[in-house]
Amino acid sequence: GYSNLFKLDPELHCIETHYAPRQDLSILTRTDNQETKMVVTLALQGHSRFKPKHGDSVVFKQGYTSITTFRASEGTRDYQGQKTVNQLRFVMGKAWLTRHFGEQAVATLFDQNLIRVLKQLPTSTQSIAAARALLRSDVADLAKPLFRQGLATAILASELSGLLSEDRPATRSF
């Protein structure tokens, strides 16, 4: 298996993960960030689990997007043998989210050091199409960073819209 890291912005990274282990696989991971990060995970194929040393496990299952926040985490990523897993993870800090959604929308999302699951819902059809295009990335090498950043922004706008949108009453206009 492999993981590819794409730095899309100083505050936004994309991680493509592909594993197809012959037998069950557990990978020890440890992350200690300077600040709390938000991670948006699109489980495109298969499922996996992150089992933290402290706290509840997070299951990533095909067709679902999981949105989590954490500052530091230590635990294992578990993959089943004879099963293929494809995931896209977007890791961003509060500054990136604030720049795009405003301080008020993100203020309450970053108040804990433990892993916190904010949302797990079916991935939107727009995000699935954009994720496939991002993974194919069949554009000229010079254009790939811009192409990836544009698709990542579209995916995050779609997947975060329900979590970060303000509760405004619907208005009618001509």
Side-chain angles (χ1 to χ4, degrees), residues 95-106:
W96 188 90
L97 287 159
T98 300
R99 186 170 68 227
H100 292 282
F101 294 98
E103 178 66 37
Q104 186 175 359
V106 300

Side-chain angles (χ1 to χ4, degrees), residues 4-9 12-16 134-135 148:
N4 290 323
L5 172 70
F6 305 104
K7 189 173 183 178
L8 305 174
D9 180 275
L12 175 63
H13 298 94
C14 175
I15 303 165
E16 171 196 4
L134 190 148
L135 293 173
R148 288 182 182 131

Side-chain angles (χ1 to χ4, degrees), residues 144-171:
K144 280 184 182 180
L146 181 61
F147 183 76
R148 288 182 182 131
Q149 187 174 21
L151 289 171
T153 302
I155 291 167
L156 292 171
S158 179
E159 297 304 309
L160 292 172
S161 66
L163 181 67
L164 298 174
S165 65
E166 296 177 21
D167 293 323
R168 295 184 182 156
T171 59

Side-chain angles (χ1 to χ4, degrees), residues 79-140:
Y79 302 92
Q80 287 185 315
Q82 304 297 317
K83 308 269 184 181
T84 300
V85 172
N86 285 312
Q87 297 173 341
L88 271 181
R89 286 194 309 275
F90 299 93
V91 181
M92 67 222 78
K94 186 176 181 180
W96 188 90
L97 287 159
T98 300
R99 186 170 68 227
H100 292 282
F101 294 98
E103 178 66 37
Q104 186 175 359
V106 300
T108 61
L109 302 177
F110 293 89
D111 60 356
Q112 292 184 356
N113 287 334
L114 295 175
I115 292 177
R116 181 175 167 202
V117 178
L118 301 175
K119 177 179 161 185
Q120 281 187 312
L121 289 174
T123 305
S124 71
T125 55
Q126 307 93 287
S127 293
I128 292 170
R132 288 182 180 143
L134 190 148
L135 293 173
R136 278 194 306 271
S137 194
D138 55 357
V139 298

